[in-house]
Structures are given as C-alpha cells and as structure tokens.
C-alpha cells in the first residue's frame, strides 16, 4: 500500500464530509460551513477524488451513502470532535454559550421532556438551540453516525462506547373517552379483553407489551385499529369506544387537554425505563455534559 502524503490533504474536506453526512444536501452542507453551493460542489468532487469513491449517490429518495462513506462516517466524526476538543476551551458558561444540539426521540417522550427543557434553556442558556431529527427506529444509528448528539428512548443492549442514564420509571394504564360505559363498572381482565382495542406499535410490526403479557396468560384481544403514533392514539380514543393501553405519565399529560379518562390496567405488564444515551466521543465535552445533566434532572421530575 502506498503511503499517503498528508501534506496534500485539505482537512476542510473532512469537515465538508461531516456536514454532508448530517445534512444529506450539498447546498445545506455548504451553508453549514459558510460555503456557496458551487464551492461545496467543488469540494465534494475533490473529496471523491481524494477517497476514490462517489461517497454520496443521488436516488429518488434523496442522497444515499456508499459502503465506504458509511465506514468512514464514525471515524471522521470522531476525528473532528477530537480536534474541536483539543482547541476548545475547557470551561463552559451556559449563559453565554452558542451551540446547537440534536436530540433524537419519539414524539411522546418529546412531549414529556421538551417543553420543560426549552423553557429552562431560555432562562439558563438562551444561545443553545435544539433540533429534533426524524426518528430512526431506536435512534442508535443516528448517534453512531454523528447525526444526533443525544437520543432518548428505551434501551437494553447498547453498542460499545455508548453511555446511558435512566430518566424515569414508567408503567401502563388504560385510556377511554370520558363517557365510556366501562367507567361505571370495575375494569376486570375479562371485560378488558372483551373490548375493542387501539394498539400503538411504533415500528408498525410485532406485538406491544400488552399483547406479550396477554400471550403469557394464554389470552388475546381484538385490536380494531393499530397505529404507530402515541400522540394520535388518545385523540382517536376520545371520539370512539376503543380502549387504549398507554404509558401512565403520557396518559396523564394527554388527559389535561382532551376528554379521556385513565383506568388502572387489570393486567401485569412489565414496567420500562426511558433513558438518555450518548456516544463516548461526546462524554467529556463540557457543553454536552451540561445539557445531559439538565435533561436527567427534568426526567427525574416527571
């Protein structure tokens, strides 16, 4: 293998590569770096020649990464993060800081956490902006690729070099419209499974926790409707006879704004613990650590 002449390598091209990973657009990547669209396009051409690979391929669904680009995404992002750490000051003052953080999370957890977070940032760190990117399953890939700084969700096994902190404990309750007939009687397991159910499955496939618990008892229920959106589900319940099993804290929040009632679930379903996760490359960053602590503090208050 021939030795690479690093003297001829423009490290700004790696910054462009990182921006293209995050933006998936030559124009937006250029704007992120203060480059014109033609300059960003020329930079991409130089990057392709340097690495001898097309890296980004335009398809009907937008830009897609080549296998080489996927392999390079994490080491390049870490290299740039390490470089920033070397030259950045170690002190962090939230009141004067200017930064943007990407927090990947599902809509129902965003509802519980983000209103309080953005309110506190306005008081404590008015120069910090937040972006909630489109969800990518459990969002671990977004963290790995550097497309998100933090992810919030339910995680059991995480890849190496990931960190996790629990935010709060959660269980399930039932949700029905406020004048539903079942409210006047005790909700037993027998009449629970006799009702028509609305089920939320974020991925659109498989069973949720209630179905798993019922199966363990040799029972089933009729799922009259299945959707992937936690926030839409209570609104459907409010105008139907369907019953919905929902995380308790989310149900209590939604009941403040729409006409639904919560009932205790007559079934033992495993509790779960939403967590905040981040990659090792950000672990020692003072601004990142400050934001993590703030999110954990808010999570413990829920």
């Amino acid at each position: 293998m021939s030795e690479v002449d690093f003297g001829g390598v423009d490290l700004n091209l790696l910054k462009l590569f990182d921006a293209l990973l995050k933006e998936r657009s030559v124009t937006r990547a250029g704007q992120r770096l203060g480059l014109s669209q033609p300059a960003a396009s020329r930079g991409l051409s130089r990057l392709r020649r340097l690495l001898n690979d097309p890296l980004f391929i335009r398809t009907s669904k937008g830009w897609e990464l080549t296998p080489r680009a996927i392999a390079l995404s994490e080491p390049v992002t870490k290299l740039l993060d390490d470089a920033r750490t070397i030259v950045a000051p170690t002190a962090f003052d939230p009141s004067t800081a200017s930064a943007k953080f990407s927090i990947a999370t599902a809509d129902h957890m965003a509802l519980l956490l983000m209103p309080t977070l953005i309110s506190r940032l306005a008081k404590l760190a008015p120069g910090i902006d937040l972006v909630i990117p489109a969800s990518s399953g459990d969002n671990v890939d977004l963290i790995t690729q550097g497309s998100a700084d933090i992810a919030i969700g339910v995680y059991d096994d995480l890849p190496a070099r990931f960190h996790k902190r629990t935010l709060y404990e959660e269980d399930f309750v039932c949700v029905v419209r406020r004048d539903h007939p079942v409210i006047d009687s005790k909700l037993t397991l027998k009449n629970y499974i006799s009702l028509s159910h609305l089920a939320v499955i974020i991925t659109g496939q498989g069973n949720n926790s209630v179905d798993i618990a019922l199966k363990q008892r040799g029972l089933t229920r009729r799922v009259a409707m299945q959707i992937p959106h936690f926030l839409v589900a209570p609104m459907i319940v409010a105008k139907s006879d369907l019953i919905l099993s929902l995380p308790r804290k989310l149900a209590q929040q939604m009941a403040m704004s729409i006409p639904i009632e919560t009932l205790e679930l007559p079934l033992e379903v495993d509790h779960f613990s939403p967590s905040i996760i981040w990659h090792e490359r950000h672990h020692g960053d003072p601004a990142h650590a400050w934001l993590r602590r703030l999110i954990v503090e808010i999570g413990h208050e829920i």
Side-chain angles (χ1 to χ4, degrees):
M1 180 181 293
S2 61
E3 187 173 340
V4 175
D5 177 15
F6 284 105
V9 175
D10 183 354
L11 295 183
N12 285 320
L13 293 178
L14 298 184
K15 292 173 63 178
L16 176 60
F17 178 78
D18 184 62
L20 287 165
L21 284 176
K22 292 178 170 64
E23 300 292 347
R24 302 296 174 91
S25 162
V26 175
T27 300
R28 291 197 301 273
Q31 291 171 345
R32 190 183 188 103
L33 299 176
L35 300 174
S36 66
Q37 198 277 339
S41 295
R42 290 194 297 271
L44 176 56
S45 297
R46 292 175 59 200
L47 192 58
R48 285 167 166 164
R49 289 195 299 272
L50 174 67
L51 299 175
N52 194 29
D53 189 269
L55 300 174
F56 301 90
I57 298 173
R58 190 188 296 277
T59 71
S60 59
K61 297 180 180 179
W63 289 91
E64 290 189 2
L65 305 183
T66 66
R68 180 87 192 279
I70 293 171
L72 290 172
S73 60
E74 183 171 359
V76 168
T77 301
K78 183 180 185 304
L79 175 64
L80 294 173
D81 287 339
D82 288 344
R84 293 186 189 101
T85 300
I86 291 171
V87 301
T90 56
F92 172 71
D93 181 356
S95 65
T96 59
S98 178
K100 179 182 290 187
F101 289 95
S102 175
I103 302 176
T105 184
D107 58 356
H108 61 294
M109 292 181 188
L111 174 65
L112 293 175
L113 293 162
M114 293 303 115
T116 302
L117 177 58
I118 199 67
S119 174
R120 293 199 184 167
L121 286 177
K123 296 176 182 177
L124 302 174
I128 291 182
D129 299 328
L130 300 182
V131 175
I132 309 296
S135 183
S136 175
D138 60 9
N139 294 315
V140 169
D141 286 346
L142 291 182
I143 298 291
T144 301
Q145 296 165 10
S147 298
D149 301 297
I150 290 167
I152 299 170
V154 179
Y155 304 98
D156 295 319
D157 298 319
L158 286 170
R161 302 183 67 199
F162 270 70
H163 296 264
K164 179 174 82 168
R165 285 283 304 276
T166 298
L167 294 176
Y168 57 91
E169 300 294 325
E170 185 66 286
D171 64 342
F172 287 91
V173 294
C174 296
V175 172
V176 294
R177 60 180 171 85
R178 283 190 180 156
D179 55 351
H180 195 290
V182 76
I183 294 174
D184 295 328
S185 60
K186 180 176 173 60
L187 184 62
T188 64
L189 181 57
K190 181 178 180 179
N191 58 20
Y192 172 75
I193 62 175
S194 72
L195 296 169
S196 294
H197 291 248
L198 172 59
V200 179
I201 301 178
I202 294 178
T203 62
Q205 299 177 348
N207 295 321
N208 66 18
S209 300
V210 170
D211 293 304
I212 294 170
L214 287 172
K215 185 177 180 180
Q216 291 171 347
R217 291 171 170 256
L219 299 172
T220 60
R221 60 177 178 163
R222 180 198 170 208
V223 176
M225 184 177 184
Q226 175 183 309
I227 63 172
H229 307 298
F230 271 102
L231 298 189
V232 175
M235 299 180 185
I236 295 172
V237 165
K239 295 187 176 182
S240 71
D241 286 332
L242 299 178
I243 189 169
L244 168 68
S245 300
L246 206 62
R248 182 184 298 273
K249 291 177 174 58
L250 176 61
Q252 292 170 341
Q253 181 75 20
M254 297 296 287
M256 295 179 181
S257 55
I258 58 175
I260 56 173
E261 291 285 344
T262 60
L263 303 170
E264 292 301 315
L265 180 64
L267 176 70
E268 241 351 276
V269 177
D270 288 342
H271 295 193
F272 62 96
S273 302
S275 301
I276 175 177
I277 64 169
W278 65 94
H279 198 276
E280 172 66 27
R281 62 176 171 265
H282 292 309
H283 189 64
D285 177 72
H288 198 281
W290 182 86
L291 181 62
R292 295 194 308 261
R293 288 193 295 270
L294 183 58
I295 293 173
V296 170
E297 176 185 299
I298 293 169
H300 288 174
E301 294 172 0
I302 293 178

